[in-house]
Amino acid sequence: MLKPHVKAVQLKASFKHMEKTASIHIEDKVYTYPVITGTEGEHAIDVRRLRKDSGFITFDEGFANTGSCESAITFIDGEKGILRNRGYPIEELAKHSGFLEVAYLIIYGELPTREQSSEFRAKVTENTAIHTNMHALFDGFPSSSNPMAILSSMLNALGCYYPEMASNNREQDLEHFDNAAALLISKVRTLAAMAYRKEMGLPFVYPKHDLRYAANFLHMMFTEPYKPFEDHAGLTEAIDLFLLLHADHEQNCSTSTVRMVASSGANLFASVAAGVCALWGPLHGGANTQVIRMLEAIHRDGDDGSRFIESAKAGKSRLMGFGHRVYKNYDPRAKIIGETVEKVLSKLGVDDPLLDIARHLEQAALNDPYFVERKLYPNVDFYSGMILRAAGIPVEMFTVLFAIGRLPGWIANWHEIATSGNTKIHRPRQIYTGPNERHFVPIEERG
Ligand code: ACO
């Protein structure tokens, strides 16, 4: 059994009750509720007692106006285009830090000291290999399998190899949390590379302990027999940046899914496996794949993007990589990735026509009233695929790379809910719109 190395810091920053209250008038009754505020000043009406008091529930399909939890991990101001992980602006982290350090920050709440950093790195490094029994599980998948399906299945299966860490006994799972976190961050990359090799019909490549995180991933992806992967163009750095920029992003669809699953008491492995499935969809992490497919189609059609913009405005297509539930301004990650793409492509000496189309689409959209009025700006997925494409990563693997990057955020959110002391299961209500009570009809009387 692995020994715990660092103890997760429990950062508890509870919201404050303000003097203000909010009243809801229903028929001749008034219900008054506290207004609460977070550390960055965002306000909410605490309606937790509403149903008990009044029999009414709130209706907010898609949860656009609903705060589902307190969290001290990530802050986003969508109007201003601000993203901070544990208080640190994403621009500063991107400039001065690396993926593993940011993963530590997100999970443990503080930047690591030199000693904590080397301990964490060592723990991640020593956990790269996958139990060889798992190779047989890969063999069970047809070669046409989507790597997101494989990744989700394998993360859940991984828990079966570490039953002490995936017991669904909260106290026990928390006791092993530090090891489980490092192990998952390490092995997700090995599993992802194996999913790719499986799809390509190539033999698995074993990890190398002397390589850093992103370099080891590229080694396991691209090493050919007798020909090690060599990075001549700073691709390792670009992939590390890609992962860092995706490390956490507040209560998005996949993170909310992780928290939803965790709220039932499910273990970390099962919870993050569910996160992978939520991320897969084209409106979420799957958008990075869709952006490249869209750019390829525009290129094939001989369009410079102008015709496509018109069809998006007419509702016939969607400008993938544009728009966001929270950002009503430029996604700061898109800005950083957009700048990096230029550097990577010029280092590689690649002139990618898709980048020209992307730049044209961006300019056209930013100057078009349809997009301006709806506050639709590029999100992280708009340019991220260009980096992955430059690194030779196939389009089907793009969302898998997103999942590797997002894992620290899922882990931190799992830990936050597991240690919150709030054991309430996530169980929303609904407005039922089906038939009223009716009585069973025997088959011969139906039709
Ligand atoms: N292209 C064209 N029109 C758009 C787009 C787009 N990409 N995004 C939103 N709109 C329009 C909608 O049609 C709608 O118009 P209407 O008011 O005339 O009906 C309006 O803008 C509001 O859009 P909603 O879909 O209601 O916004 P919502 O917050 O529900 O959706 C989402 C956000 C899913 C990200 C959406 O903007 C979208 O589909 N974008 C493309 C997919 C994408 O890039 N997803 C990645 C998001 S980032 C991430 O998950 C990592």
Side-chain angles (χ1 to χ4, degrees), residues 281-421:
L283 295 186
H284 189 15
N288 60 12
T289 305
Q290 299 303 324
V291 169
I292 295 294
R293 298 227 188 278
M294 171 188 79
L295 295 173
E296 284 171 344
I298 294 172
H299 186 50
R300 260 196 319 274
D301 291 349
D303 180 12
D304 64 353
S306 313
R307 287 206 302 272
F308 188 86
I309 287 281
E310 292 309 314
S311 89
K313 282 161 61 180
K316 290 184 192 145
S317 45
R318 198 150 259 241
L319 181 52
M320 300 309 286
F322 253 72
H324 198 275
R325 173 59 63 77
V326 179
Y327 290 119
K328 300 301 165 201
N329 201 325
Y330 220 105
D331 176 342
R333 302 166 303 169
K335 217 173 250 172
I336 299 167
I337 284 206
E339 287 160 13
T340 310
V341 165
E342 301 276 358
K343 284 186 211 149
V344 169
L345 292 186
S346 88
K347 257 194 200 163
L348 284 170
V350 168
D351 187 12
D352 190 339
L354 298 197
L355 182 60
D356 297 334
I357 295 173
R359 293 280 183 221
H360 184 257
L361 283 173
E362 181 189 349
Q363 279 319 307
L366 293 179
N367 291 304
D368 191 300
Y370 174 94
F371 294 90
V372 173
E373 279 159 20
R374 289 168 180 77
K375 299 188 177 169
L376 301 171
Y377 291 86
N379 60 51
V380 68
D381 294 321
F382 194 65
Y383 285 114
S384 66
M386 301 297 302
I387 288 195
L388 303 182
R389 194 172 134 90
I393 290 171
V395 180
E396 310 76 62
M397 286 292 290
F398 285 9
T399 316
V400 170
L401 269 281
F402 192 153
I404 300 174
R406 182 53 52 85
L407 198 64
W410 292 337
I411 292 171
N413 275 276
W414 183 91
H415 186 260
E416 199 170 63
I417 195 165
T419 54
S420 68

